[in-house]
Amino acid sequence: MFFQKLKEITTFIFDVDGVLTDGSVQVTESGESLRTFNIKDGYAMQLAVKKGYHFCIISGGDGIALRKRFLNLGISDIFLAAGDKVSIFNQYLKEKGITASEVLYMGDDIPDLKVMKLVGLPTCPADAAEEIKAISTFISPYNGGKMAARDIIEKVMKVQGRWHDENPNAADSGK
């Protein structure tokens, strides 16, 4: 059943803090929030975009650096400072002509709960909140920001025979 769901995925939607980062935020004296991302997660994300998957970020977090990181990976569907993730999700599906069953969503905490209940494949990092783990079809053995995103993206792409990149570029994940 799990592998069949992997075969049906056309769209990845990820939260940021606690999923693509370890949830830590450093705040500078000027008030800017700094986050650390995993390069291996970045490689998998940019490869998924190159291979034609829809890729979307929906996060309550915000910041110029955050947006720049995703744009540099080729992700243009970026919704930051998202208060109502369900509304954004529904509008995104409508605009792209995607059904919820095609969507893999990775979240880690209570703000992700409602939208995760709507998708075909709800997933989370190993250190997600218990409520999120309880509704997830797949719980990565990796923590947020520590290759949980790479883990599930790679699984989907391998099952679909789309993981290999004929012309890998080492600079793609580090942008």
Side-chain angles (χ1 to χ4, degrees):
M1 173 111 161
F2 174 64
F3 288 104
Q4 183 56 42
K5 287 188 179 206
L6 293 178
K7 290 179 182 180
E8 298 169 6
I9 298 303
T10 65
T11 305
F12 295 98
I13 301 179
F14 284 84
D15 177 35
V16 176
D17 296 317
V19 173
L20 298 174
T21 74
D22 68 4
S24 299
V25 178
Q26 296 179 10
V27 181
T28 66
E29 288 183 19
S30 65
E32 182 181 5
S33 296
L34 304 175
R35 296 164 173 89
T36 301
F37 293 91
N38 187 294
I39 291 295
K40 291 178 183 169
D41 285 344
Y43 177 79
M45 293 165 68
Q46 65 79 34
L47 182 58
V49 171
K50 272 189 195 174
K51 296 285 184 162
Y53 291 90
H54 296 284
F55 213 107
C56 178
I57 301 296
I58 303 177
S59 176
D62 198 4
I64 295 168
L66 212 58
R67 184 172 301 281
K68 186 172 183 171
R69 169 69 176 150
F70 300 122
L71 288 172
N72 286 342
L73 293 172
I75 300 167
S76 57
D77 298 324
I78 306 164
F79 302 92
L80 303 178
D84 183 357
K85 291 185 176 190
V86 171
S87 292
I88 293 168
F89 171 76
N90 287 329
Q91 185 63 33
Y92 181 73
L93 293 187
K94 184 178 177 184
E95 286 176 9
K96 298 292 182 179
I98 301 166
T99 63
S101 64
E102 300 172 67
V103 176
L104 179 150
Y105 186 102
M106 184 171 268
D108 73 306
D109 211 348
I110 303 304
D112 301 307
L113 192 64
K114 287 182 181 178
V115 70
M116 288 179 71
K117 289 180 179 181
L118 301 175
V119 304
L121 189 56
T123 66
C124 69
D127 58 346
E130 290 305 315
E131 294 88 346
I132 299 300
K133 288 180 181 180
I135 64 160
S136 291
T137 301
F138 175 77
I139 302 170
S140 175
Y142 300 98
N143 286 344
K146 305 294 183 190
M147 291 191 11
R150 164 73 175 252
D151 180 38
I152 193 60
I153 294 168
E154 186 174 334
K155 279 177 175 39
V156 168
M157 293 179 73
K158 281 184 174 178
V159 164
Q160 295 182 7
R162 301 175 73 190
W163 175 247
H164 184 69
D165 188 357
E166 293 294 329
N167 298 301
N169 183 340
D172 287 342
S173 58
K175 295 177 185 175

